Amino acid sequence: MKAIRIHEFGGPEVMLMEEVPIPEPASDAVLVKTYASGVNIADCGIRKGGNAILRPLLKLPLTLGWDASGIVDKVGDQVTAFKKGDEVFGVPTFPGDGSYAEYFVAKESHLALKPNAISFNEAAGVPLAGVTAWNGVIEYGKLQPGQKILIHGAAGGVGSLAVQIAKAKGAYVIGTASVNNLEFLKDLGADEAIDYKTQRVEEMLKDIDLVFDASPIRDNNIRLKFVQILKNGGRLVSSQLDFPYSEEVKTALSAKNVEGSLVRLQNYACLREMAELIDAGKIKVVISKVYPLEQAGEAHKENEAGHVRGKLILEIIKE
Ligand SMILES: NC(=O)c1ccc[n+]([C@@H]2O[C@H](COP(=O)([O-])OP(=O)(O)OC[C@H]3O[C@@H](n4cnc5c(N)ncnc54)[C@H](OP(=O)(O)O)[C@@H]3O)[C@@H](O)[C@H]2O)c1
């Protein structure tokens, strides 16, 4: 099968299209014929060698891509939830070879049946960003109906899904983006949209129940502003797992009795709940561009420029 692999860490040029054997699923895993793969900023980070936590787990050569949709080709002995021919979406086994390839393997627990209402390309834009958004807003954020949430970086892959998940849960949603994306946030259902470049959240907001930072920018100074706008006993959840809170942020959190957390992906069962919300028309998937598999390098360059609206997709099979 064809796959985009890296043999060394580095820039987009280290990604090579190669011919490799089709993988075999383990007993608790599923082999999926890939229709589309999502591109995530995390893929770019892994291409560059990851961080101190990830680096020891990354074995070369490696096929990139941890976000995909496709059709089940083969299931392991212990798999009961899926059978050959099922249309699925989910997160390929990590660390291990990913979905920039004609087939990928995923644990049964990291897959769900694809929503009927959307295409394979759209479905490939949901899993990793959606599981991150769901875990951030619902599992760590414990968002309740009627509460006020600020989502920072609301126009990106994680942010655009977080806005819609929070709305579907009955929250009052405020999102930040640059000026070109403010209308887009309103279209997603945000009640308010703030331009993070020209407006200051700390002068506009107070008594917020939950701040979810879904931006790709690592910045402890803006976290201090988030603590300022949170109510006493509120929650600050950051998607940036590799960027711990500074001592200054920790002091500010405890002075205000705010719980601060970094999102770990612990609940993948939410893929099923997101599929239901998608089929009910409550979540739409925004694809900004579809690239053919061989242009994965171009997709990485666009993602790393930092302003993708929604998702970038690699199309492996045209529907
Ligand atoms: N914890 C996990 O397991 C996990 C999993 C996946 C991702 N993540 C993390 O989640 C974060 C978001 O990932 P993603 O895939 O959604 O990224 P992304 O799609 O590449 O994010 C792009 C968005 O970021 C916004 N942005 C750019 N600069 C900004 C700034 N200075 N302030 C606020 N927003 C800004 C852009 O909005 P404008 O164009 O409007 O500026 C753009 O829409 C990343 O840090 C990623 O590492 C974590």
Side-chain angles (χ1 to χ4, degrees):
M1 68 167 185
K2 288 191 174 55
I4 298 281
R5 314 255 296 162
I6 59 169
H7 290 257
E8 58 182 319
F9 299 117
E13 70 285 352
V14 300
M15 293 192 283
L16 304 174
M17 175 82 93
E18 292 182 343
E19 208 46 58
V20 293
I22 294 173
E24 272 299 313
S27 56
D28 64 344
V30 175
L31 175 70
V32 181
K33 187 173 175 61
T34 321
Y35 271 61
S37 175
V39 175
N40 285 280
I41 196 68
D43 305 350
C44 306
I46 289 167
R47 189 204 69 224
K48 288 188 278 195
N51 53 40
I53 304 166
L54 284 179
R55 187 64 172 254
L57 305 174
L58 304 176
K59 304 278 177 267
L60 296 174
L62 181 65
T63 302
L64 300 174
W66 289 278
D67 210 8
S69 64
I71 296 185
V72 171
D73 190 73
K74 201 185 221 184
V75 298
D77 298 345
Q78 291 164 24
V79 170
T80 55
F82 303 103
K83 60 180 186 319
K84 187 174 165 79
D86 284 344
E87 297 185 355
V88 293
F89 71 145
V91 179
T93 307
F94 182 85
D97 286 329
S99 51
Y100 291 6
E102 290 178 308
Y103 290 84
F104 72 91
V105 164
K107 283 192 173 163
E108 176 183 28
S109 57
H110 291 190
L111 289 172
L113 292 175
K114 170 187 155 296
N116 295 317
I118 58 173
S119 65
F120 281 103
N121 280 349
E122 289 168 313
V126 177
L128 189 62
V131 170
T132 307
W134 189 281
N135 278 276
V137 171
I138 307 295
E139 307 296 336
Y140 287 86
K142 303 183 177 69
L143 185 70
Q144 300 299 319
Q147 287 191 330
K148 275 193 177 177
I149 176 174
L150 172 72
I151 298 168
H152 183 54
V158 175
S160 62
L161 289 165
V163 167
Q164 298 177 84
I165 290 165
K167 270 320 278 183
K169 290 287 161 189
Y172 183 87
V173 179
I174 307 159
T176 71
S178 56
V179 66
N180 293 338
N181 280 327
L182 298 180
E183 269 314 304
F184 170 63
L185 297 192
K186 291 289 190 71
D187 291 345
L188 290 176
D191 297 285
E192 291 180 46
I194 294 177
D195 178 351
Y196 67 78
K197 285 189 181 155
T198 60
Q199 294 179 293
R200 293 170 182 272
V201 286
E202 67 276 21
E203 289 170 4
M204 301 171 72
L205 304 175
K206 61 176 184 175
D207 292 334
I208 300 294
D209 296 284
L210 168 64
V211 175
F212 178 49
D213 183 355
S215 93
I217 306 298
R218 276 90 175 124
D219 181 356
N220 272 307
N221 288 325
I222 193 143
R223 289 171 168 176
L224 288 171
K225 292 175 185 163
F226 294 150
V227 181
Q228 210 178 315
I229 64 169
L230 278 162
K231 70 172 192 191
N232 236 296
R235 290 194 171 79
L236 172 60
V237 179
S238 171
S239 62
Q240 301 139 0
L241 186 61
D242 56 333
F243 185 66
Y245 294 122
S246 66
E247 287 309 314
E248 198 182 0
V249 173
K250 284 187 201 160
T251 306
L253 289 168
S254 78
K256 218 166 167 186
N257 195 24
V258 167
E259 193 180 303
S261 35
L262 304 170
V263 178
R264 283 183 187 279
L265 305 186
Q266 50 186 12
N267 170 7
Y268 285 83
C270 63
L271 282 170
R272 290 196 289 276
E273 290 175 78
M274 282 189 282
E276 280 172 24
L277 289 170
I278 290 167
D279 279 335
K282 293 190 173 164
I283 292 182
K284 58 184 174 195
V285 187
V286 179
I287 303 298
S288 65
K289 192 159 176 186
V290 178
Y291 288 87
L293 182 61
E294 57 271 24
Q295 286 178 20
E298 293 307 308
H300 274 217
K301 284 183 202 161
E302 183 175 350
N303 207 154
E304 287 181 291
H307 295 284
V308 173
R309 179 188 279 189
K311 297 291 303 181
L312 299 175
I313 299 296
L314 300 178
E315 183 176 69
I316 286 115
I317 294 181
K318 211 181 248 310
E319 282 180 75

